[in-house]
Amino acid sequence: MSNKLWAGRFSKQLDNTVNDFNSSIRFDCRMYKQDITASIAHADMLGKCGIISADDSEKIKAGLKTILTDIESGKLDIDFSAEDIHTFVEAELTERIGDAGKKLHTARSRNDQVAVDFKLTLRDEAENIYTLLTELINVICDNAEKYADTVMPGYTHLQRAQPITFGHALMTYAMMLLRDMSRLDDWKKRMNVSPLGSGALAGTTHPIDREMTAKALGFSDYTRNSLDGVSDRDYAIELASVLSLIMMHLSRFSEEIILYCSWEFKFIELDDAYATGSSMMPQKKNPDITELVRGKTGRVYGDLTTLLTMMKGLPLAYNKDMQEDKEAAFDALDTVKMCLEVFTPMLRTMTVNAANMRNAAAKGFINATDCADYLVKKGMPFRTAYKLTGELVFHCIENGKALEELTLEQFRSFSELFDDGIYTAIDLDECAKKRISQGGTAPDSVREQIEWTRNQIK
Ligand code: ARG
């Protein structure tokens, strides 16, 4: 006879290799707390609806609580030969309280049980990501405040384009991460619906109250179709997609940090506690954290692809394929969590070489647009001013000069509209300071962005 909970139908023990292959306890044991919490809500509802006696309901709830305490204190070890966490907890309960334990699974299937456990776990763990994102945005705002006046070259095509402030550049990442937080909010609204009570697939003949368990577990509603309740994994896919976006943002940020740490730029330097050396080259200081974040982005995309592919073409309702959902979702969560935990302090402790930024901004004619705008303000049509400034730049390149190094006569040989004012107009600090349009790079505008962002995450 089999020793499984489904033993009745079987005449033999499950093959050992198949047992290992089939078991999910190594990764779903992570949901022990959520499994017990959901079972307590279920047992409570069974008692209140008169499906089991009030006495049995109390015994079950008390038994489950002792199991939770014992797992948490280390008194009870999880048995990794069990089929999954659900089976383990139920068997342990019956071991502890006897026959009443055998009534817990009334009007429930592991199919709705695993769905509710998984949702509760993802909801809890996404909350951690939310907090970590808030911390990172706060550090970005602090740094942006510090460097709101620090002029650097802004790039397009990685070619020097227009002067910006480093604070402005930093706030870009705060905007991306704010959107990620709002994606998590949206996700939670959609996913926070209880599948408990869907049964195996078709519901149950017992007079259950799904609203009661949904409420007890902090869900805003219960799923309205039992087949959908047990066969839906959209929420895992959506979460992995939000996590992929977070990683994409972190990897863009990482790439810029890697670039800015190079000797070719030397715009920033990482704190020694957040950089690493080389085994052979004594001079090296490498930005390994950011490279790993960039690398791990692929891993999280992989988790998303795993989930999407696993669900593709699955017939209704539960299929064992779906057991593969947990490792992928947990890996994505763990990876993002780990990345955020190192990224935030790394950013907090990095130092900025404002002189190098300023120096790089002084080369590459990044004030050319301002020169053209100067002529426009004097009455020249923009396209004409644009062409004339292009000719000025060409002249400067030929003569190894920057725009601001031309004499007034030289400027005036291109257009009579030039006067002394051109030098202020193309001064780099002025160029940045004047971009006060909403969302622009001017220090005042950056400070507004910081204030707005801080209000968003309050
Ligand atoms: N360990 C399973 C999972 O993670 C639980 C659900 C099993 N249900 C079943 N009918 N075999 O998906």
Side-chain angles (χ1 to χ4, degrees):
M1 263 271 277
S2 163
N3 60 1
K4 293 288 178 198
L5 62 87
W6 30 260
R9 161 75 178 74
F10 291 79
S11 59
K12 279 185 184 172
Q13 290 286 5
L14 185 65
D15 175 90
N16 274 336
T17 317
V18 176
N19 192 54
D20 288 344
F21 182 68
N22 192 49
S23 167
S24 55
I25 195 154
R26 269 166 290 103
F27 45 87
D28 65 24
C29 63
R30 174 167 172 154
M31 310 194 297
Y32 73 86
K33 193 171 173 186
Q34 289 81 5
D35 186 75
I36 292 172
T37 309
S39 287
I40 291 174
H42 181 68
D44 189 59
M45 181 277 292
L46 290 178
K48 287 187 172 135
C49 294
I51 300 167
I52 61 173
S53 72
D55 186 44
D56 282 340
S57 170
E58 289 310 317
K59 269 192 203 142
I60 293 172
K61 288 187 282 176
L64 287 168
K65 281 177 196 156
T66 62
I67 295 176
L68 180 60
T69 325
D70 290 352
I71 293 177
E72 270 172 354
S73 69
K75 208 167 129 194
L76 173 63
D77 287 330
I78 288 171
D79 171 11
F80 288 106
S81 72
E83 191 171 326
D84 51 34
I85 189 66
H86 327 294
T87 322
F88 171 75
V89 172
E90 192 186 325
E92 180 64 28
L93 180 72
T94 305
E95 180 93 18
R96 290 186 181 205
I97 67 166
D99 278 353
K102 296 182 184 165
K103 296 184 180 172
L104 169 62
H105 214 57
T106 314
R108 185 176 77 171
S109 154
R110 268 186 302 162
N111 298 349
D112 57 344
Q113 187 180 1
V114 73
V116 76
D117 290 4
F118 195 33
K119 276 193 171 182
L120 291 174
T121 309
L122 296 184
R123 200 178 70 186
D124 289 346
E125 300 204 10
E127 201 61 43
N128 296 333
I129 302 290
Y130 203 84
T131 310
L132 288 166
L133 284 175
T134 316
E135 283 166 15
L136 176 53
I137 293 175
N138 263 320
V139 168
I140 294 175
C141 285
D142 292 345
N143 276 349
E145 207 150 52
K146 213 156 130 195
Y147 304 113
D149 300 278
T150 308
V151 173
M152 68 178 286
Y155 300 86
T156 64
H157 313 265
L158 217 52
Q159 300 288 321
R160 287 170 186 162
Q162 290 182 344
I164 57 168
T165 51
F166 187 47
H168 191 213
L170 284 171
M171 285 310 289
T172 320
Y173 292 103
M175 301 300 160
M176 297 181 197
L177 299 169
L178 266 183
R179 286 197 293 277
D180 293 332
M181 287 179 71
S182 110
R183 285 184 183 100
L184 283 176
D185 285 334
D186 292 343
W187 168 78
K188 191 174 165 189
K189 270 181 228 146
R190 213 166 11 257
M191 67 79 72
N192 201 26
V193 180
S194 172
L196 190 59
S198 297
L201 74 164
T204 172
T205 54
H206 296 286
I208 58 169
D209 184 345
R210 295 190 61 199
E211 206 177 329
M212 192 188 293
T213 46
K215 225 182 219 163
L217 295 170
F219 288 108
S220 58
D221 201 356
Y222 56 88
T223 56
R224 296 300 164 135
N225 175 304
S226 63
L227 283 165
D228 181 52
V230 288
S231 62
D232 169 37
R233 291 294 182 274
D234 290 4
Y235 53 90
I237 296 173
E238 267 190 61
L239 178 61
S241 116
V242 178
L243 295 171
S244 293
L245 279 166
I246 295 173
M247 288 305 292
M248 184 268 283
H249 294 146
L250 290 182
S251 92
R252 293 185 73 178
F253 205 167
S254 293
E255 171 64 16
E256 294 214 306
I257 291 173
I258 293 164
L259 210 57
Y260 293 168
C261 281
S262 72
W263 278 100
E264 283 67 21
F265 281 82
K266 270 283 168 257
F267 286 177
I268 57 183
E269 182 155 357
L270 298 177
D271 188 87
D272 277 3
Y274 294 95
T276 45
S278 149
S279 62
M280 187 188 192
M281 300 167 282
Q283 85 284 10
K284 289 297 287 289
K285 180 171 172 183
N286 297 327
D288 282 25
I289 292 179
T290 40
E291 290 168 62
L292 272 171
V293 169
R294 195 175 54 183
K296 285 177 190 292
T297 303
R299 177 181 177 138
V300 175
Y301 291 2
D303 293 325
L304 171 62
T305 308
T306 298
L307 290 166
L308 280 168
T309 313
M310 181 269 286
M311 289 304 288
K312 176 187 174 294
L314 275 194
L316 299 176
Y318 178 84
N319 297 271
K320 192 74 174 211
D321 315 45
M322 289 154 80
Q323 181 165 284
E324 293 289 313
D325 57 4
K326 281 159 225 76
E327 281 166 295
F330 294 159
D331 182 71
L333 279 163
D334 290 342
T335 306
V336 171
K337 182 166 176 275
M338 224 175 6
C339 288
L340 287 168
E341 279 168 350
V342 289
F343 202 92
T344 302
M346 178 201 69
L347 203 67
R348 188 187 291 125
T349 52
M350 80 178 183
T351 48
V352 167
N353 191 330
N356 281 353
M357 284 186 176
R358 178 65 217 232
N359 217 10
K363 293 169 192 150
F365 303 99
I366 67 175
N367 48 3
T369 315
D370 297 87
C371 180
D373 281 345
Y374 168 87
L375 293 169
V376 168
K377 283 170 190 160
K378 295 273 178 191
M380 193 181 276
F382 176 75
R383 196 47 72 205
T384 317
Y386 167 91
K387 182 159 177 278
L388 189 144
T389 308
E391 286 159 10
L392 264 169
V393 169
F394 184 78
H395 172 84
C396 286
I397 294 172
E398 295 272 278
N399 295 283
K401 283 203 149 86
L403 275 175
E404 55 274 28
E405 286 167 351
L406 296 179
T407 63
L408 188 55
E409 284 92 86
Q410 285 169 324
F411 271 117
R412 289 179 68 87
S413 71
F414 282 82
S415 166
E416 294 283 296
L417 290 174
F418 283 113
D419 61 29
D420 252 0
I422 181 62
Y423 295 105
T424 337
I426 60 172
D427 174 81
L428 284 180
D429 294 299
E430 287 300 316
C431 294
K433 237 188 259 168
K434 277 181 312 195
R435 287 184 162 77
I436 48 166
S437 51
Q438 291 117 322
T441 205
D444 283 344
S445 163
V446 171
R447 282 186 270 270
E448 266 168 38
Q449 295 169 41
I450 296 168
E451 201 192 317
W452 180 84
T453 303
R454 288 214 162 111
N455 277 328
Q456 297 288 308
I457 53 171
K458 238 183 220 160

